Amino acid sequence: MNLKKVSINTALPGKPRARVLIVYTGGTFGMTYDKAGALIPFDFTYILDQLPTLKNLALEITAFSFENPIDSSNISIDHWQLIGKIIFDQYDHHDGFVVLHGTDTMAYTASALSFMLEGLNKPVIFTGAQLPISEPRSDARENLITALDIASAYKDGFPIISEVCIYFDYELLRGNRSKKVESMQFDAFDSGNYPPLAKAGVKINYNYAVIRQVNQFTNLVLRSSFETNIAILKLFPGIDRYVVSALLAIQDLKAIVIETYGSGNAPTLPWLQESLRDAIELGIIVLNISQCSGGRVMQGRYATGRQLQEIGVISGADMTTEAAVTKLMLLIGEHGTEKARDLIGLSLAGELTP
Ligand code: ASP
């Protein structure tokens, strides 16, 4: 995958306040109109034409732009590895990072990066837009300016944020707690199980009590091996046994996320129990994630959840499906299924409440 590098010193002739790296991947954010009036991805080299107020931020900005920006529905593991490698390679030379990404899969990429960047102690802020930057009413300008502000915010010599976040529509959310919840309004993201880390009004108000405190002296380690042979099974009343058995019969399947009802409940159908028990006995990780976007899995609360616990289904606590899937892929890819089973229920990057 080819990259284009663009350097913009918005501070000249003064001294930059901070150095921020932008990774531009595509999405609605960067769409502009060609001469025939069709929407095409814009060339990031011209960002200052679209956003002259960038100059007032006094930042030294380096941007790595995908040569062929993508709709985020086309995001792949290769792209995650590339974004991770750029941040890892540039880590010591920058104070913070902003990733411009389509909104559709932003929560998956932000979750994946939160697990890939082990020991992260600088801000990595994802943002994008619901309306292209070329549109007069676009949300792209505010989202980018504030994301840059957050990515360069320091207090007492340390970054205020030292985790992977999504900034969108005046809210800063933990990346691996976020979900895309809205496709037409500007408030595209929500983190039902975790409060916003900051709200941007006249000032940016950081909620220090919920911001992840990490050891500022840890070294960054990049984890980037993914196992993709995993599946998601969303339960619904009337689900057919053959659908379930077909999924569990996938050759060499490593893990399955079951999206259950409420606090982690599933029908007490003997065939469902047997299929899941057989899968667990074969070494497949079965992880229980609730279909609710708020609350948590408590497998002992109802008989319909306790039966899952009894056969060895692992509780996913209050993780999002996006966090669960990316965490499983990375843990199995990096450490193998045995160790992944031990680690999946632990909070590795603030993605669950133990
Ligand atoms: N389809 C677009 C994408 O995810 C939507 C967006 O960016 O808002 O790339």
Side-chain angles (χ1 to χ4, degrees), residues 101-112 166 175-176 178-180 189 320 322-323 326:
H101 194 288
T103 58
D104 288 349
T105 59
M106 191 185 290
Y108 285 94
T109 306
S111 296
I166 291 181
N176 56 31
S178 307
K179 270 184 172 303
K180 182 170 179 179
F189 291 93
T320 60
E322 291 84 338
T326 53

Side-chain angles (χ1 to χ4, degrees), residues 65-264:
S65 164
F66 283 15
E67 192 169 42
N68 298 310
I70 56 163
D71 183 297
S72 77
S73 302
N74 282 323
I75 203 86
S76 67
I77 307 277
D78 293 347
H79 294 115
W80 292 349
Q81 289 165 334
L82 178 63
I83 300 167
K85 185 165 181 337
I86 296 171
I87 295 174
F88 183 76
D89 290 348
Q90 298 293 323
Y91 195 65
D92 293 338
H93 312 299
H94 293 88
D95 301 301
F97 302 83
V98 169
V99 183
L100 291 171
H101 194 288
T103 58
D104 288 349
T105 59
M106 191 185 290
Y108 285 94
T109 306
S111 296
L113 265 291
S114 78
F115 303 123
M116 291 169 71
L117 299 168
E118 202 175 283
L120 180 74
N121 53 29
K122 291 184 181 179
V124 175
I125 313 297
F126 277 73
T127 196
Q130 295 282 59
L131 264 183
I133 196 162
S134 51
E135 293 275 350
R137 289 185 52 251
S138 174
D139 50 339
R141 288 176 282 273
E142 198 288 317
N143 284 347
L144 175 57
I145 294 282
T146 306
L148 285 167
D149 214 324
I150 294 169
S152 55
Y154 273 61
K155 196 170 169 246
D156 306 326
F158 293 107
I160 296 180
I161 299 293
S162 45
E163 52 180 302
V164 178
C165 295
I166 291 181
Y167 176 75
F168 218 91
D169 194 44
Y170 304 103
E171 280 193 339
L172 183 71
L173 307 175
R174 178 168 292 163
N176 56 31
R177 293 284 194 153
S178 307
K179 270 184 172 303
K180 182 170 179 179
V181 292
E182 172 61 59
S183 63
M184 295 302 283
Q185 305 297 320
F186 287 141
D187 52 347
F189 291 93
D190 196 10
S191 60
N193 278 325
Y194 206 75
L197 308 190
K199 291 203 180 203
V202 173
K203 283 184 170 181
I204 300 175
N205 282 319
Y206 292 96
N207 185 353
Y208 290 97
V210 298
I211 292 170
R212 193 165 149 80
Q213 299 299 322
V214 293
N215 179 352
Q216 289 300 334
F217 303 101
T218 49
N219 286 327
L220 183 69
V221 176
L222 179 64
R223 305 262 177 206
S224 51
S225 297
F226 286 87
E227 168 60 60
T228 54
N229 200 354
I230 73 164
I232 300 177
L233 168 66
K234 182 167 184 161
L235 297 182
F236 57 92
I239 192 166
D240 194 294
R241 63 189 302 172
Y242 298 109
V243 171
V244 175
S245 57
L247 258 188
L248 293 173
I250 292 170
Q251 202 183 353
D252 216 19
L253 184 71
K254 297 289 190 297
I256 187 159
V257 170
I258 38 168
E259 282 199 356
T260 55
Y261 308 127
S263 53

